Every structure is written in C-alpha cells, then in structure tokens.
C-alpha cells in the first residue's frame, strides 16, 4: 500500500482491519503522508497481532513524536521482526525512544533507520540498547550523522552484544578516527558479524590500517563494503595484506577508492591462493591497463572470482586485450562489468575473439558506455553466431554509438543462437 497518499485518516481504517487480520505477514504503508498523530491508530492493534512480521513506515513524516508513539506500542509486540523507518525525519529523540524499546523487545531482528537525522547522541542511545538487547540481527543506519563520536559510541555497545550479524553505516562521515574506534569495538565483539558496510565515510589509508587489523582477526565476516572512500594504493596494500590471513570474506567492495595499478596489483596477488573471495568490486578506480594486466595474469588460472566489476577503471582497449586473454582460460567468472572504460571497437573485437572460444562460465557481460560502434557490434555478433555453446545470457551495450546496422546484426545473432540451441541471449542497447 505504498505511495497511495491515504494519510492519517486512511491509516485508522487500515490499522483497524489489521486487528482482525490473522494472515498478513508483511505490510508496507511507505510514503503515505502519515504523521505522528496517525500512528496512534496502531495502539492496541500491534500489541495483539502476532502474525505481522514486517512493518514498513518509510517515507512518512512521523518525526521523533511518531517514533516515540510507535516504540511505546512495540514494547509489548512479539510478532514484528522487521521494522523499516527509513526517511521518516527521525532525530536523536526518536532514536532514543527506539533504543528504549530495543532494551525490552526481544522479537525484532531487523531495524532500518536509513536517511534520517540521527546524530551522535542518537547513536549513543542505540549503542546503549545493544548492550542489553540480544535478539537484533541487522541494523541499518546509512545516511545519518553519526560521525566519529557516534561510531565510537556504537562500538562500545557492540563489544558486549552477541546477536548482531549485519552493520550498515554507509555515509556517516565517521572518518579514520571513527573507524579506529569501530574496529576496536568489533574486535572485542562476542558475536559473529557477517557484514559490514562502511562505504562513503571519508576513510583514508590510516583508517584502512584499522580495517585491515580487524580483517586479520575476523572469523565470521563474509561481506565487506569500503566503497567510495579514499584508501588509495597504500590502503589497498594494507587490505590485501590482511586478506592473505582471512579465510571467510567472500565479497569485497573497494570501488571508488583512488586505487591505481599499484594497489590493484597487491589485490591481484591475494587472489593467487585465496579461493574464498568470489565477488570483487574495483569500479571507479583509475587502475588503468597495468592494473587490468595484473588482475588478468592472476585470474587466468587462479582464484574463484565469479563476479568481477571493473567499470570506470580507465583500462582502455589495451586492458580489454588482457581481460579477453584471461577469459579464454578462466573457468569461474560469470559476471563481468567493464562499463565506461573507453574500450571502443578495438576492445570489443578483442573480447569477441574470446567469446568465440568455449567459455562456459561467463553469463553476463556489461559493455555499456564504451564508445563501441558498429564494427565492434559486428565482431560480437559474429562471435555469438560462431560459438554454439555460448553461455552468455545477458549482454549490455547500452550508451554506445551503435546505429541500426550494428543493432540488427546483434539481434540477428541473438535469433540465430536461439534457433540453434534454444538459448536466450538478452541484449540491451
């Protein structure tokens, strides 16, 4: 029921029906102009309804008053496991009310408070609640104003908490100092944290050192996001060094970190004997053809990378040549993103040559924004026709310079593949 604009009045009718409904498990009332006054409709309803598992109130201007009202009601609720309050105008007072509720509620597993106005003191309240709550699994605080002090306060709560599995702190300006405190707290964390998102947090190479120290110790982390920071080559080398000692992380996102060929080479070396990492995102880093070469040489015969993202990496046609060579031998890469690398026809032709060789792994290839013209499209079309065992099922060529001739050559190749093998190749222009 999201985006219907039924307001407070509509919520009174809907809430009343929830009191009688014993089958709905998930309800979204997002973006409906509901205010704090409207949330009173839930009083008496949510205490008695134990079937409802997910409640989404995101995008409603409920503010701190609404958060207080909802928190008072949810203290007694034993059904709701996921509460979404993203973009609801919550500040520190609202966060404080939610924290008090968390101290008493033991059924909530996922709490989303993204894109609000929660500051240091709100983070402190939530950190305090984590000391007492042992049922919450995922906390989303992306796009708030935690800063270094907020991260430190949260870290204190995490030291004693055993239940938390995912921590989402994207875009909180926590900086190097905040990351130091956070990693220190996580190192003492008694539970099994599997996911950390600290993207877009003004973390430099100093902060990367603290993250690296935590990576060395962690025995449970599967997913690490450092996207859009500024760790540079020095930070990349520290992270690479730590990954040599880690055997749990499967997904690592280092996109947009000002990493050049030097940093990319350090990361490539890790993949030589690491068969755990399956997803590597290095997009928006100026690794250039040399960085592409370093990765290609290792990935030819080593590692278990399934998803490789190298969009906006300035690799050019030369870099595409190295990657094309790798594809002839690599047996694991299934998703390859090479968007906006200035590959042009030359790079497309190199990749087409590799597509002619039987590659049973590659299913998705993204070549958007690469200044590819009809010659490149023709080469790819020929490759698809020539290889009857082609595994590629998704090919993106959007935002290139194809005319209708290049497009129809590709469409023709797609139809040919379907006639020959009944395999669907989705081509996007």
């Amino acid at each position: 029921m999201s985006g219907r604009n039924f307001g407070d009045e509509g919520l009174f009718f809907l809430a009343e029906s929830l009191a009688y409904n014993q089958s709905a498990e998930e309800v979204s009332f997002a973006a409906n102009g509901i205010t704090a006054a409207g949330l009173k409709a839930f009083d008496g309803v949510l205490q008695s309804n134990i079937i409802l598992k997910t409640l989404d109130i995101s995008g409603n201007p409920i503010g701190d008053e609404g958060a207080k009202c909802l928190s008072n009601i949810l203290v007694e609720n034993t059904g709701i496991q996921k509460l979404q309050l993203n973009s609801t105008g919550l500040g520190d007072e609202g966060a404080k009310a939610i924290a008090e509720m968390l101290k008493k509620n033991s059924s909530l597993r996922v709490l989303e408070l993204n894109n609000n106005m929660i500051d240091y003191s709100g983070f402190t309240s939530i950190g305090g609640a984590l000391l007492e709550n042992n049922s919450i699994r995922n906390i989303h605080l992306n796009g708030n104003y935690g800063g270094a002090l907020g991260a430190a306060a949260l870290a204190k709560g995490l030291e004693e908490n055993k239940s938390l599995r995912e921590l989402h702190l994207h875009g909180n300006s926590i900086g190097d100092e905040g990351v130091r405190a956070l990693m220190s707290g996580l190192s003492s964390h008694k539970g099994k944290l599997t996911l950390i998102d600290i993207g877009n947090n003004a973390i430099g190479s100093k902060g990367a050192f603290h993250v690296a120290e935590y990576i060395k110790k962690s025995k449970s982390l599967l997913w690490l996001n450092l996207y859009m920071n500024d760790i540079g080559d020095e930070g990349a080398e520290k992270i690479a060094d730590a990954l040599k000692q880690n055997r749990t992380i499967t997904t690592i996102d280092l996109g947009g970190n000002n990493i050049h060929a030097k940093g990319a080479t350090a990361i490539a070396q890790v993949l030589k004997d690491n068969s755990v990492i399956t997803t590597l995102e290095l997009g928006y880093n100026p690794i250039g053809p040399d960085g592409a070469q370093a990765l290609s040489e290792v990935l030819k015969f080593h590692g278990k990378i399934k998803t490789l993202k190298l969009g906006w990496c300035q690799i050019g046609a030369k870099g595409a040549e190295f990657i094309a060579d790798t594809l002839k031998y690599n047996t694991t890469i299934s998703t390859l993103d090479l968007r906006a690398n200035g590959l042009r026809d030359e790079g497309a032709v190199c990749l087409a040559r590799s597509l002619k060789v039987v590659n049973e792994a590659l299913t998705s290839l993204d070549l958007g924004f690469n200044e590819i013209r009809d010659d490149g499209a023709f080469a790819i079309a020929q490759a698809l026709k020539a290889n009857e065992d082609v595994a590629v099922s998704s090919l993106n060529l959007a935002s290139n310079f194809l005319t209708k001739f290049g497009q129809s050559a590709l469409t023709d190749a797609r139809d040919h593949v379907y006639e020959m093998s009944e395999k669907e190749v989705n081509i996007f222009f």
Side-chain angles (χ1 to χ4, degrees), residues 384-385 387-390 410-425:
L384 291 175
K385 279 181 168 177
N387 184 351
E388 283 178 14
D389 296 314
V390 69
L410 285 160
T411 307
D412 185 38
R414 179 196 67 193
D415 296 344
H416 176 85
V417 170
Y418 186 71
E419 277 167 33
M420 291 308 203
S421 60
E422 292 203 346
K423 282 181 185 161
E424 301 258 1
V425 183

Side-chain angles (χ1 to χ4, degrees), residues 39-117:
L39 291 182
K40 294 190 176 82
F42 282 130
D43 203 7
V45 173
L46 294 181
Q47 289 96 325
S48 61
N49 183 323
I50 53 167
I51 306 297
L52 194 65
K53 303 275 187 285
T54 299
L55 179 62
D56 188 355
I57 308 283
S58 301
N60 287 297
I62 65 167
D64 289 341
E65 281 313 303
K68 286 176 189 171
C69 172
L70 196 57
S71 297
N72 290 338
I73 294 168
L74 288 177
V75 166
E76 301 299 322
N77 175 279
T78 56
I80 291 177
Q81 295 178 9
K82 183 176 185 178
L83 179 62
Q84 293 165 287
L85 296 173
N86 307 315
S87 309
T88 47
L90 282 184
D92 291 336
E93 288 303 307
K96 199 176 188 175
I98 288 166
E100 288 307 309
M101 178 264 290
L102 279 178
K103 289 178 183 174
K104 301 183 182 82
N105 177 302
S106 60
S107 62
L108 207 58
R109 300 282 180 270
V110 179
L111 176 62
E112 294 185 11
L113 299 172
N114 300 323
N115 305 322
N116 281 299
M117 296 175 287

Side-chain angles (χ1 to χ4, degrees), residues 113-118 123 141-146 170-172:
L113 299 172
N114 300 323
N115 305 322
N116 281 299
M117 296 175 287
I118 304 168
F123 272 68
L141 284 162
N142 298 332
N144 279 287
Y145 299 91
H170 201 98
N172 268 288

Side-chain angles (χ1 to χ4, degrees), residues 113-120 123 140-151 154 168-175 197-202 229:
L113 299 172
N114 300 323
N115 305 322
N116 281 299
M117 296 175 287
I118 304 168
D119 217 314
Y120 155 66
F123 272 68
H140 298 247
L141 284 162
N142 298 332
N144 279 287
Y145 299 91
L149 292 170
L154 209 51
H168 300 257
L169 286 176
H170 201 98
N172 268 288
S173 308
I174 66 178
D197 180 354
I198 42 175
N200 194 13
N201 265 306
N229 283 296

Side-chain angles (χ1 to χ4, degrees), residues 98 151 159 204 214 216 244 282 302 322 356 410 420:
I98 288 166
E159 283 182 22
Y214 174 68
K216 287 176 190 172
K244 287 176 186 164
L282 281 174
H302 302 280
F322 295 124
K356 276 185 181 170
L410 285 160
M420 291 308 203

Side-chain angles (χ1 to χ4, degrees), residues 182-203:
L182 189 63
M183 293 302 137
S184 158
L186 288 176
S187 295
S188 314
H189 176 67
K190 307 281 192 293
K192 289 184 165 57
L193 203 67
T194 58
L195 180 152
I196 301 175
D197 180 354
I198 42 175
N200 194 13
N201 265 306
I203 297 165

Side-chain angles (χ1 to χ4, degrees), residues 323-389:
I323 285 170
D325 190 37
T326 296
L327 290 177
K328 289 176 186 165
Y329 305 96
N330 178 285
T331 57
T332 60
I333 295 171
S334 65
T335 300
L336 179 60
D337 178 359
L338 295 174
R339 278 175 299 168
N341 270 298
L343 302 188
R344 308 199 168 165
D345 286 345
E346 212 183 322
V349 168
C350 289
L351 289 162
R353 273 188 221 124
S354 292
L355 289 179
K356 276 185 181 170
V357 181
V358 178
N359 180 319
E360 289 170 7
L362 192 68
T363 56
S364 171
L365 178 61
D366 196 336
L367 298 174
F369 302 96
N370 265 304
E371 300 163 47
I372 297 168
R373 295 174 191 274
D374 288 345
D375 283 352
F378 291 144
I380 291 169
Q382 288 305 110
L384 291 175
K385 279 181 168 177
N387 184 351
E388 283 178 14
D389 296 314

